[in-house]
Amino acid sequence: MADDRQHPMLQYIINNPEAFAQNLAKTLEQAGKAMAAYIEPREQGKITHESTDELTGIIKTLAQVGEYWISDPQRTVEAQSRLWGGYIDLWNSSLKRMMGEPAEPAVLTPPRDKRFADPDWEKNQFFDFIKQLYLITSKWAEDMVQEAQGLDEHTRHKAEFYVTQIANAVSPSNFVLTNPELLRLTLESNGENLVKGMQHLVEDLKSGKGELKIRQTDPSKFKFGENLATTPGKVISQNDVCQVIQYSPSTEEVLKRPLLIVPPWINKFYILDLNREKSFIKWAVDQGHTVFVISWVNPDEHQAQKSFEHYMKEGILNTLDVIKRATRQEEVNTIGYCVGGTLLAVTLAYMARVGDKRIKTATFFTTQVDFTFAGDLKVFVDEEQISLVEKRMAESGYLDGSKMSSAFNMLRSNDLIWSYVVNNYLKGQEPFPFDLLYWNSDSTRMPAANHSFYLRSCYLDNKLSKGEMEIAGERLDLSKVTIPIFNLATREDHIAPPKSVFLGSGCFGGPVEYVLAGSGHIAGVVNPPAKKKYQFWTGGEAKGTLENWLNNAEEHPGSWWPYWDEWIRAQDATRAKARKPGAYRVKILEDAPGSYVMKKA
């Protein structure tokens, strides 16, 4: 009969030393292949630059924090004493626990921290000690940044971000010997998990052509037109910048005004058409909207000089011409998502300047037009970093999609980077097939001219909100945009923070309906009514502060989609006979979702 009081470390024993040794040898063999996959493209000159510039920037930023604490002997002693005080508390607590006495932990584990969910992080004293040592040290480092005086706001923001990234990287949950779950799995499987993990690492390095492209899902489980982007429609126009998709109606009557959706070009349009249950596009069609969607090109060196102006003229303005040919309607409702919304706002200001009145309403999904409070992405934006990006884009004519994808993943690195490192390479498991993460990894390139303009004019100089941006020879003024606007933010958005979207609402000259949805940048938008998830808040005009607005706002359960549909109909509910793609002799080029979306970065 087993003794339930056996020593807690007895479960951490190698079951089969011979099999473990063989698998360890296989692991080392695969590690050699991974190293070769990393080195080969660098030796061949296919990867010509390393991350030394970024590393230099990180060191310079953190050095400014360190300089504050070591420039004064009293502050140096204070910093050291604070750290060692935490360690002494941990040591005293651990000694009491070793002696069988009740002892409070020196530091509490954050309740929502998934990294330390395994029971042995609490029950096993060895792992509990390592965890607390890590939490004390990382909290101390964060405090050092926050309390350092004399730093400008941007430098402090960068330092906070870098310290968080370093702390996330060195977490004991990321290493086999200091993670109880990983250690148990390794010993129980005699190291087979490490063999599989190294095989995954080799595959991902080869897939990334020498750069590590971490799998967040199983790409073999998804195919366009079958279980992704399945809403029926036709491509009815294309040029060097985009394809235009018109979706087939599912109702006999439709709203007279067609609906144009302008998605971001950082990823692909099918975030709004993941599958039948989640598809905003299908839902909008079923409500009686004639939906047109821009599918942006995945650019290469041939589009290097395509700028914001080209995306405006050959994207949005050209599509308005296409919609008129396809429907015989000039008045259009529009939606812009993220950077697609920023482009739409730029286009609206341009149209107001030149007297073009075809767009009658604009809806923005998590869109910034004022970049004062643009969140953690501003960490990557200053003259030095933009110049470095421009230098690299000049070599190829575009920014590789993986660079932007990495930046977005770093905003939530524990969830989007380190959890997959642990799962794929240390547990040796395949990631779960998840359509949203497939889309997330399906990044696109960005033309050099377009991306440089966006970084400088929006993030760095904030020209659009100041009325200083010029496009096609016209100076843009958002206050001249007087059409009704539906401005959707999401409460947990790291990319377009709700405070930033709220502030941008005041830039427009007409009525703005600000709506705040629960969840984040994607889940808060892709929230079909049938799921009955999350909630949203409405509260009229976006004036004063977001906090005051929210205090007076009304909370509604579930999806904001029906509320938006009511808002659209309140502007104009005139109906017309449904229009099928190909009407009025419009040439059909191919079936939706088209060929542009198929091209991988």
Side-chain angles (χ1 to χ4, degrees):
M1 181 175 178
D3 183 0
D4 291 336
R5 296 172 297 174
Q6 67 180 0
H7 195 281
M9 295 304 290
L10 289 179
Q11 59 183 315
Y12 300 102
I13 294 178
I14 297 174
N15 293 327
N16 186 330
E18 183 178 353
F20 184 84
Q22 291 175 349
N23 283 326
L24 187 59
K26 292 178 182 178
T27 299
L28 293 173
E29 180 184 355
Q30 292 297 323
K33 293 180 180 179
M35 182 62 71
Y38 176 82
I39 291 175
E40 185 177 353
R42 287 161 175 80
E43 290 181 337
Q44 295 175 348
K46 294 178 180 178
I47 298 178
T48 57
H49 54 75
E50 297 292 342
S51 58
T52 52
D53 294 313
E54 287 90 343
L55 184 59
T56 300
I58 293 171
I59 293 172
K60 285 170 60 178
T61 300
L62 296 181
Q64 292 184 57
V65 177
E67 184 179 352
Y68 170 78
W69 289 102
I70 64 175
S71 61
D72 183 308
Q74 186 175 346
R75 284 200 294 264
T76 304
V77 172
E78 177 192 345
Q80 292 176 334
S81 299
R82 196 183 302 184
L83 179 61
W84 284 105
Y87 290 165
I88 291 170
D89 289 343
L90 173 58
W91 182 251
N92 290 335
S93 172
S94 300
L95 283 177
K96 287 182 180 180
R97 186 172 174 183
M98 287 175 63
M99 297 170 67
E101 298 178 20
E104 290 293 322
V107 60
L108 295 175
T109 307
R112 297 179 65 183
D113 197 331
K114 301 175 185 177
R115 297 174 297 176
F116 305 113
D118 189 278
D120 267 10
W121 285 113
E122 299 286 344
K123 293 192 303 182
N124 187 293
Q125 189 170 349
F126 170 74
F127 294 112
D128 186 42
F129 180 87
I130 291 174
K131 176 196 68 179
Q132 290 191 60
L133 186 70
Y134 164 74
L135 292 173
I136 289 170
T137 307
S138 58
K139 178 64 167 60
W140 171 82
E142 292 169 3
D143 290 344
M144 291 296 99
V145 174
Q146 292 172 2
E147 296 175 23
Q149 298 177 16
L151 299 180
D152 64 86
E153 182 181 349
H154 182 60
T155 299
R156 188 185 306 279
H157 192 181
K158 287 200 296 182
E160 289 174 346
F161 184 80
Y162 295 151
V163 165
T164 298
Q165 299 308 313
I166 293 169
N168 291 347
V170 300
S171 169
S173 58
N174 297 336
F175 304 93
V176 172
L177 295 178
T178 54
N179 182 327
E181 182 186 8
L182 288 176
L183 187 56
R184 282 198 309 272
L185 176 62
T186 301
L187 298 177
E188 288 169 1
S189 70
N190 297 310
E192 288 184 10
N193 58 306
L194 299 181
V195 178
K196 293 178 181 177
M198 284 299 104
Q199 290 172 344
H200 293 162
L201 180 62
V202 173
E203 292 168 3
D204 289 355
L205 281 167
K206 289 182 177 179
S207 174
K209 298 177 182 177
E211 303 280 8
L212 182 57
K213 188 176 182 179
I214 301 174
R215 271 176 287 186
Q216 296 176 327
T217 187
D218 183 354
S220 66
K221 296 294 190 291
F222 299 100
K223 190 171 182 180
F224 292 115
E226 293 185 8
N227 57 2
L228 279 177
T230 59
T231 302
K234 306 292 183 181
V235 175
I236 60 171
S237 177
Q238 71 180 41
N239 56 31
D240 286 345
V241 164
C242 68
Q243 288 188 321
V244 179
I245 302 171
Q246 179 182 358
Y247 287 90
S248 303
S250 61
T251 57
E252 291 186 2
E253 284 191 328
V254 294
L255 286 178
K256 184 179 179 181
R257 288 181 181 169
L259 175 65
L260 167 60
I261 298 177
V262 185
W265 54 83
I266 293 171
N267 283 84
K268 296 176 182 175
F269 82 89
Y270 64 90
I271 184 59
L272 295 175
D273 192 25
L274 286 172
N275 59 45
R276 292 178 62 84
E277 289 72 34
K278 296 178 184 176
S279 175
F280 177 84
I281 290 172
K282 179 183 183 301
W283 180 85
V285 169
D286 291 343
Q287 307 315 303
H289 294 273
T290 306
V291 178
F292 293 81
V293 172
I294 290 174
S295 175
W296 299 108
V297 71
N298 194 347
D300 54 28
E301 62 275 8
H302 297 100
Q303 281 91 8
Q305 298 307 314
K306 295 292 183 181
S307 65
F308 242 58
E309 179 180 337
H310 292 97
Y311 271 58
M312 178 184 76
K313 289 183 174 179
E314 298 174 28
I316 295 177
L317 295 179
N318 174 69
T319 301
L320 292 176
D321 295 337
V322 172
I323 290 173
K324 184 177 180 181
R325 291 198 301 271
T327 65
R328 294 292 192 264
Q329 296 299 321
E330 198 162 88
E331 295 186 355
V332 175
N333 296 317
T334 56
I335 293 175
Y337 196 164
C338 190
V339 67
T342 305
L343 177 68
L344 176 59
V346 166
T347 306
L348 291 173
Y350 174 81
M351 294 173 76
R353 182 74 176 174
V354 299
D356 188 336
K357 299 181 179 181
R358 287 177 290 177
I359 294 179
K360 294 302 181 183
T361 72
T363 297
F364 295 113
F365 295 168
T366 60
T367 292
Q368 298 177 101
V369 295
D370 187 308
F371 289 76
T372 304
F373 304 114
D376 282 343
L377 280 178
K378 290 192 78 172
V379 165
F380 303 104
V381 181
D382 50 43
E383 182 59 44
E384 185 177 359
Q385 293 184 88
I386 292 177
S387 296
L388 178 61
V389 170
E390 289 174 334
K391 178 182 175 183
R392 292 181 176 174
M393 288 193 298
E395 298 172 6
S396 59
Y398 56 82
L399 179 72
D400 193 273
S402 63
K403 304 302 181 186
M404 200 55 141
S405 179
S406 296
F408 284 127
N409 287 340
M410 286 174 69
L411 300 184
R412 294 173 52 211
S413 59
N414 277 333
D415 293 331
L416 296 178
I417 296 177
W418 296 110
S419 66
Y420 292 101
V421 168
V422 171
N423 181 80
N424 300 359
Y425 309 137
L426 300 180
K427 291 184 179 180
Q429 297 176 356
E430 293 283 352
F432 185 76
F434 187 21
D435 50 14
L436 177 56
L437 289 175
Y438 178 86
W439 168 85
N440 187 58
S441 62
D442 190 13
S443 56
T444 62
R445 308 180 190 99
M446 278 158 284
N450 178 305
H451 194 56
S452 178
F453 180 90
Y454 179 54
L455 290 178
R456 288 191 175 278
S457 297
C458 295
Y459 273 94
L460 187 62
D461 298 327
N462 202 13
K463 287 185 175 181
L464 181 58
S465 65
K466 296 176 181 176
E468 298 173 358
M469 182 180 287
E470 291 190 6
I471 292 280
E474 302 290 345
R475 196 174 184 88
L476 306 184
D477 183 355
L478 287 176
S479 69
K480 302 300 182 184
V481 177
T482 57
I483 63 172
I485 287 173
F486 186 99
N487 206 12
L488 179 80
T490 55
R491 194 162 189 177
E492 300 168 22
D493 199 333
H494 297 279
I495 296 169
K499 183 178 181 180
S500 183
V501 177
F502 184 87
L503 180 63
S505 298
C507 295
F508 298 99
V512 178
E513 173 92 6
Y514 179 82
V515 176
L516 182 64
S519 196
H521 192 74
I522 301 300
V525 174
V526 184
N527 183 25
K531 298 287 185 180
K532 298 181 179 180
K533 293 178 68 176
Y534 311 125
Q535 70 281 90
F536 65 98
W537 292 265
T538 60
E541 288 186 275
K543 291 187 176 180
T545 66
L546 175 59
E547 291 74 22
N548 288 338
W549 181 91
L550 194 53
N551 287 336
N552 297 310
E554 181 181 358
E555 183 176 342
H556 310 269
S559 173
W560 55 270
W561 292 9
Y563 183 84
W564 167 83
D565 189 56
E566 291 175 7
W567 180 86
I568 284 286
R569 293 171 194 277
Q571 314 310 316
D572 189 339
T574 307
R575 303 182 70 82
K577 186 179 180 181
R579 311 105 164 184
K580 295 181 180 180
Y584 305 110
R585 298 183 179 179
V586 171
K587 185 178 180 182
I588 293 173
L589 303 181
E590 57 182 325
D591 290 336
S595 55
Y596 280 21
V597 76
M598 306 288 184
K599 188 175 179 181
K600 299 293 182 181

